[in-house]
Amino acid sequence: MTKRTPTLCFLIVLCLLALVVPITAQAPGDQPINVIYQNSFATDPQWITNNPSLDYWDPGLEMYHFSIEPSNGGYAYVPINNYDKGSFTFEYDVLLNRVDPGATFRIGFSGSEMDPATGPNVLTEFTNAKYGQIMWLHLVTPGNMMVEVNSQNDDTLSSGPAAYSGPTVKYELNKTYHVMVNYDADQKVLSMKVNEKISGDQIWSYYVNTGEALRGMNRIYIGSIGDYGPLDIYASGYIDNVRLTSPGNVTPVPTTATVMEAVPVPTGTITPKTTATVPTPYPVTSPTQSPLSVIPVMSALGIAGVCCGRLLQKKD
């Protein structure tokens, strides 16, 4: 009995630690991600454009200016070479100073055509047309199936039975919005969420079923390719904090990695971007597992100690 008691105590400790380790090695809410591209426009992003007088980096504001005119075929884009397929999240901030009737602001993640009628193309749009200033989620799959929804109540003419059924939501000029598009490859669902940047309040959110897997997108772009509206009308403003991420099951090298900053809301005249308040930086692209929690380990040792004590008492 004398020799077996310490051995038995040691085995009890090992068994309890084996139960504790798998639980504590995974920190709650730890969601690793891969940053495919992100840019806060603190430096020149070197986006490729055929319209540099209207689409350009503003060094004073540290944002990217756009002015989209229908029918002029203008565009600005950045190549994305490290995405092929799978789930992703695309997000950005936008400040619209002007959207004339008939004009559309659009930014998306697409193939090389950058055409709203050609897949693959995931587009977010802020329009000013039949229903006024509303928001759209527009998808063209790799098989060229088009699906779209907007923030107008029950617009079955545009969306069919998949139309948004909530109250109509309209955006405002001179207000900064944070837009997030999420593609869940497992569920084949594409969703869009729009929040007010300053308050964080969500103003609109909806989704579409993609019907097929999305793949082959290779650039983030803004522009009017495929838009055949009238000339001399514009959708103008600024984008900032553009980011494209994927779940952390692969490790692509970020195209650009910069600290994200808050977007100012110009009133009257535009003022340089403030840096007084900087949001917490995004998590690293390859988070490590959390260390073992001290409390469960100490609890295991305590239980083992009690068991050993009882065994020793029986021995005596």
Side-chain angles (χ1 to χ4, degrees), residues 84-244:
D84 177 51
K85 61 182 178 179
S87 300
F88 66 82
T89 299
F90 171 56
E91 53 192 311
Y92 63 92
D93 296 335
V94 61
L95 173 64
L96 292 160
N97 301 128
R98 170 183 178 182
V99 182
D100 294 332
T104 297
F105 163 71
R106 60 175 61 87
I107 181 170
F109 185 33
S110 82
S112 57
E113 292 82 2
M114 300 182 293
D115 187 328
T118 304
N121 205 327
V122 175
L123 267 177
T124 59
E125 299 178 332
F126 288 67
T127 63
N128 185 6
K130 176 181 178 180
Y131 297 117
Q133 296 176 181
I134 62 172
M135 299 155 284
W136 294 70
L137 173 61
H138 175 100
L139 166 69
V140 183
T141 69
N144 281 329
M145 179 184 73
M146 183 181 296
V147 186
E148 58 184 9
V149 292
N150 60 47
S151 62
Q152 174 69 31
N153 170 259
D154 203 26
D155 181 17
T156 55
L157 185 62
S158 300
S159 307
Y164 164 70
S165 58
T168 297
V169 180
K170 298 189 177 185
Y171 66 88
E172 300 177 33
L173 298 180
N174 300 311
K175 178 177 286 189
T176 304
Y177 295 100
H178 181 74
V179 181
M180 178 181 291
V181 175
N182 185 71
Y183 170 55
D184 186 325
D186 294 332
Q187 301 297 322
K188 291 185 174 61
V189 170
L190 183 72
S191 62
M192 175 179 174
K193 180 171 67 174
V194 182
N195 287 39
E196 291 185 2
K197 178 72 174 182
I198 302 302
S199 68
D201 294 339
Q202 180 176 303
I203 66 166
W204 185 64
S205 178
Y206 209 59
Y207 70 95
V208 296
N209 294 304
T210 66
E212 63 178 286
L214 303 185
R215 62 178 302 157
M217 290 82 78
N218 58 22
R219 59 189 63 188
I220 295 171
Y221 80 102
I222 56 178
S224 62
I225 294 177
D227 187 345
Y228 302 107
L231 294 171
D232 298 322
I233 61 173
Y234 296 92
S236 303
Y238 295 85
I239 57 170
D240 201 1
N241 296 331
V242 175
R243 189 164 101 127
L244 178 66

Side-chain angles (χ1 to χ4, degrees), residues 272-283:
K273 176 186 290 187
T274 177
T275 55
T277 303
V278 179
T280 303
Y282 286 109

Side-chain angles (χ1 to χ4, degrees), residues 16-17 20 24 292-305:
L16 289 170
L17 286 177
V20 170
T24 57
L292 295 181
S293 173
V294 174
I295 294 175
V297 175
M298 293 302 295
S299 298
L301 292 175
I303 293 170

